[in-house]
Each structure stands twice: as structure tokens, then as C-alpha cells.
Amino acid sequence: IIGKGGRTISEIQADTGAKVVVSRSNEFYPDAIGNKDRVVLISGDVAEIVKGLTAVLDKLQQEEGSAAVVVRLLVHMRLCGALIGKNGSTIKSLSEQGGESVSVKVGSPPVGVPGLHERVVWVESSDPDSVAQTVGAILNTLLETPHSASLMDDVVNYGSANHHHHHHAPADNGGEMHEVHLNVPESRAGAVIGRNGHVMTGIQDLLGVTMSMSKKGEFVDGTEDQRKCTIKGHAEKAVELAERIVQLKIEGVI
């Protein structure tokens, strides 16, 4: 999905209009049995997400050569009732819309994983396009649910806390401000900032966050080459996405 030097993921984004971010190499979706599955976050409007997902599935199928396509969506537990519907009517309708080959199942609530707010929704078919279209129908159903926007912003940070930490504080307008700090090696600060600041400016314009970087030579206490990057915003999901983009810049993936 990422490709050498981030080439594949860049092409997917350029072709589809969706933003695609893969969790870091040590960031796995937590579960009780210790699976090591990384998380792919695709953002945009529903049409862009469907296009982005189709491109990701096509790439995976080329690499894996598997006949079956399985997508596991992470859906907030408080939204799953609307997705299932009375006596399972909604989820049955979603399966039927995808065609005879599409199966949609809602997994059980997580057990043994404290702080996890999501259930896994399985969408399976032999046809990648049918899976992507069914995911689009699921997203439209969720968006029609009251309070869905606030619950979709309730993102779990799956990664370790090494070299970055989160802070939540009241904003000037009374709302909650989300803030994250990352250590950026001096050697990678230019990649994060960009020529004339265009990378940080682009992230801020895209996600509606504010970003700052400590000055050259001003390092995090206890380090000799780590500058501090600060990201702030009202939407936690936007802050977390900006954090992932910065981390990918540090790693040289994009």
C-alpha cells in the first residue's frame, strides 16, 4: 500500500482524491488475542473514500492473489445499533444491496481490551468493487445516525507513547482543544516543514489544525538533536491524522 518511498500511497491519493494513512510499523489494532494488524485510515467524502478503498483493495489483491476480499471496518459501538437495525433489517438490506456475493457481519463487543470503543464490521466478497460500494453504503447509513460526527471523531490512538504525547485542554472559545507533541530529529525537520514551510502549511489548510516547530538548535530537554513539533486542533481526528502524516514524513515514507 505504501510503496517504495511512499510512491504507491501517493499515487492512490492523487488518483482518488482520498487521504490514505497507514499506521506506523509498531502501531497495531489492539485485540485480546494479540493480532498484529496495522490500521489504514482513509478520509474524504464518501465517494472519495470508496475510490480510495477500491484502489487499496486492488493493490492488496495484486500482491496477495486471494480470491476473497475481506474488509474489517472499525465502527463506534454506539453506532452499531443503527447499522444492524431492528431485527437485523438494516444490515440485511446492506448485504442485499451489495449483491448475492457480499456478506456483512457485525462482530461482538471487544473483550479484554480496556478503553476500546469500537466493534469490527466485516464486509466480505470475491469482488473488490462490491466490497467498496457496500462500505460506501455503510458510511452513508452511519452519517444519517444522530451524533455520528462526534462519535466518528472519537479516535483511539493505537500506537505506543514513545516520543509523543497527547494533551486535552479547554480552548479559548470554551470547546476542548486537542494537542500533541512529537520529537522530530534535526535531520528530518526540513522534510516536515517543507520548502518555505509549504508542507506544514498544507497540512494545516487540509485538516484545520495549527502546527509549530521549535527553532533550529532548540531541542527537547534531554536530547541533543530532537526538535519539538506541536499540533493543535478542535477535532481530535484531524490532530491524529496530522500526527500520522508528520510521523510518515519523519520516517521518509512520504
Side-chain angles (χ1 to χ4, degrees):
I1 297 173
I2 297 171
K4 187 175 182 179
R7 179 178 298 176
T8 301
I9 201 169
S10 296
E11 290 175 352
I12 290 173
Q13 293 177 116
D15 291 343
T16 66
K19 187 68 182 177
V20 183
V21 178
V22 182
S23 65
R24 294 185 287 272
S25 58
N26 63 341
E27 255 188 8
F28 306 119
Y29 181 71
D31 61 23
I33 58 176
N35 285 328
K36 291 188 175 182
D37 295 325
R38 291 168 69 177
V39 178
V40 178
L41 177 63
I42 304 176
S43 58
D45 59 33
V46 173
E48 289 170 338
I49 291 172
V50 170
K51 290 178 182 177
L53 177 59
T54 300
V56 168
L57 293 177
D58 286 344
K59 185 62 181 176
L60 289 175
Q61 200 167 43
Q62 289 172 23
E63 296 294 326
E64 297 294 330
S66 174
V69 178
V70 181
V71 169
R72 286 175 287 173
L73 299 173
L74 305 179
V75 179
H76 198 289
M77 287 188 288
R78 288 172 57 187
L79 293 174
C80 286
L83 184 59
I84 296 169
K86 188 174 181 179
N87 297 322
S89 59
T90 303
I91 199 166
K92 181 180 178 182
S93 174
L94 289 167
S95 295
E96 291 173 347
Q97 288 178 40
E100 293 182 3
S101 64
V102 176
S103 170
V104 182
K105 298 181 292 184
V106 178
S108 301
V111 177
V113 186
L116 199 59
H117 305 296
E118 301 149 337
R119 292 170 69 174
V120 177
V121 176
W122 300 68
V123 183
E124 182 174 358
S125 175
S126 58
D127 179 20
D129 290 337
S130 295
V131 169
Q133 292 300 324
T134 302
V135 169
I138 289 172
L139 292 176
N140 283 321
T141 299
L142 295 176
L143 288 171
E144 294 171 358
T145 305
H147 312 301
S148 62
S150 62
L151 292 174
M152 287 180 181
D153 277 340
D154 188 9
V155 177
V156 176
N157 180 14
Y158 304 118
S160 64
N162 293 339
H163 306 304
H164 66 280
H165 53 90
H166 295 258
H167 175 65
H168 307 281
D172 293 340
N173 63 2
E176 187 177 38
M177 178 67 75
H178 303 277
E179 182 175 331
V180 64
H181 304 284
L182 298 95
N183 290 6
V184 180
E186 178 66 59
S187 62
R188 298 301 301 164
V192 174
I193 297 168
R195 187 177 181 87
N196 297 321
H198 81 275
V199 172
M200 287 179 57
T201 299
I203 295 172
Q204 292 176 111
D205 292 345
L206 176 67
L207 299 175
V209 299
T210 59
M211 299 177 63
S212 62
M213 179 79 75
S214 62
K215 295 179 181 179
K216 189 172 184 178
E218 292 184 359
F219 301 130
V220 175
D221 291 344
T223 73
E224 297 181 351
D225 69 340
Q226 301 288 318
R227 292 168 68 175
K228 183 169 77 171
C229 177
T230 301
I231 306 170
K232 299 179 182 179
H234 293 287
E236 185 175 7
K237 182 167 68 174
V239 172
E240 297 231 358
L241 182 54
E243 177 193 358
R244 283 172 165 78
I245 294 172
V246 170
Q247 190 62 45
L248 290 173
K249 281 288 184 183
I250 293 172
E251 296 173 358
V253 174
I254 61 174

